[in-house]
Amino acid sequence: MLKYDDYAESAKALCRALGEFCPEVLIILGSGLGRLGERLKDPIAVPYGDIPHMKHSTAPGHAGRFLAGELGGKSVLLMQGRLHLYEGWAPEDAAFPIRIAKLMGIEKLIVTNAAGGINTGYKPGDLMLISDFIKLNAPDPLIGPNIDEFGPRFPDMSRVFDRRYMLDFKRIAEAHGEKVHEGVYYYCMGPRYETPAEIRLMRVLGADAVGMSTVPECVAARHCGMRILGISLITNMAAGILDKPLSGEEVIEAGSAASERLSTYVTEFLEAMDTDA
Ligand code: HPA
């Protein structure tokens, strides 16, 4: 298991690679959504492989590097590609970048992902602000000796996602004529898609969308007290809702199609963000 000193060593290595640049917001980009990086002014790229203890990203549509630069007037650190449990990484590996960001002084997190719509009022291309999550049978990144420097042994999870951030993002999207859903994200480890029976069960449990990411990072981020905005792009309807099989290509394509739109909202959200709050 990773120790506090391992995180500190990695945070130092990333700081060194960024030189004078001090990011204040971490943004994690989901499948096909990596194009936000094109909007960064004078970006500095740091491959995950350059950071000690950091695992690399093997998922399609995930470049596997940090990009640091200015966006919407804020100094941001982007992750082009995240680490998933289905790649064989441990939950603490998926949460690792959050903790090094925290040690670099970052207190704010924006996470995006591709998700399957469970709520039949949703359609592919819709955006859903994550209001809460369900993770029942998957291991947690906080399992193991607690690292007290990050947070308490039994952290509260009654409000993982920041209400103020949700309202601000909604206002911005609505000003562009887009209605944004608010819903519950059901975390599955993957890599296989769900069965129709599993999706029916998730609906009964109160889930609106399903995906294979985001939750390990958000657990670690809440543990260390970060403010979080979570955005799901509904790339497909979940298994069994439509009479067709699911495919990874469809998810990447839908992600790419929405990338520009989502990038605009995130940029405007950053412009409006009060970094002192
Ligand atoms: N299920 C799980 N993960 C996903 C899906 C899905 O339907 N779509 C995009 N990511």
Side-chain angles (χ1 to χ4, degrees):
M1 299 223 81
L2 291 160
K3 304 224 170 26
Y4 181 80
D5 289 349
D6 299 326
Y7 293 102
E9 181 192 358
S10 306
K12 215 188 263 175
L14 185 50
C15 276
R16 209 178 306 120
L18 299 184
E20 304 281 286
F21 188 82
C22 283
E24 48 198 336
V25 184
L26 175 67
I27 306 178
I28 306 180
L29 301 171
S31 304
L33 296 168
R35 292 193 53 193
L36 187 62
E38 292 167 16
R39 298 192 178 208
L40 251 61
K41 264 197 246 144
D42 306 323
I44 308 167
V46 184
Y48 294 162
D50 289 2
I51 305 300
H53 311 292
M54 175 119 183
K55 302 294 194 291
H56 56 274
S57 179
T58 66
H62 291 252
R65 62 177 189 175
F66 290 105
L67 269 192
E70 294 285 323
L71 186 69
K74 304 293 186 299
S75 302
V76 305
L77 182 64
L78 281 190
M79 285 181 66
Q80 281 186 320
R82 54 154 56 93
L83 304 162
H84 305 83
L85 272 64
Y86 67 70
E87 297 171 81
W89 307 129
E92 67 167 1
D93 296 325
F96 182 78
I98 301 292
R99 290 180 152 182
I100 65 174
K102 174 73 182 185
L103 293 180
M104 292 166 70
I106 297 176
E107 300 284 351
K108 296 166 174 66
L109 171 67
I110 302 174
V111 270
T112 68
N113 62 46
I118 294 177
N119 186 321
T120 52
Y122 294 3
K123 57 183 189 321
D126 284 359
L127 293 177
M128 180 190 92
L129 288 171
I130 308 175
S131 59
D132 204 348
F133 66 72
I134 301 174
K135 176 174 84 62
L136 295 179
N137 288 317
D140 206 274
L142 303 181
I143 289 173
N146 188 53
I147 302 180
D148 298 336
E149 287 89 342
F150 288 119
R153 170 77 290 188
F154 301 111
D156 175 54
M157 291 281 147
S158 49
R159 184 145 282 293
V160 175
F161 300 94
D162 192 277
R163 197 78 226 151
R164 178 80 251 158
Y165 282 1
M166 291 171 73
L167 290 172
D168 288 347
F169 187 91
K170 237 181 178 169
R171 180 176 42 77
I172 286 162
E174 277 171 10
H176 285 272
E178 167 138 10
K179 182 157 171 7
V180 179
H181 305 291
E182 253 182 52
V184 174
Y185 178 92
Y186 195 109
Y187 173 75
C188 285
M189 273 199 294
R192 65 164 179 85
Y193 288 115
E194 302 71 34
T195 64
E198 287 167 339
I199 294 298
R200 286 194 298 276
L201 175 66
M202 289 174 200
R203 186 178 298 118
V204 169
L205 295 177
D208 297 291
V210 57
M212 304 175 195
S213 70
T214 303
V215 171
E217 294 111 313
C218 289
V219 167
R222 234 8 246 148
H223 181 235
C224 66
M226 285 189 181
R227 289 182 76 177
I228 311 171
L229 174 71
I231 310 160
S232 290
L233 167 70
I234 306 300
T235 50
N236 57 282
M237 292 315 289
I241 296 180
L242 304 176
D243 188 21
K244 61 176 193 154
L246 306 189
S247 84
E249 290 75 35
E250 172 189 33
V251 168
I252 306 268
E253 273 165 32
S256 304
S259 199
E260 266 322 296
R261 216 168 97 235
L262 185 53
S263 296
T264 297
Y265 306 160
V266 169
T267 307
E268 291 184 18
F269 175 80
L270 286 166
E271 279 165 8
M273 180 189 258
D274 179 358
T275 37
D276 297 328

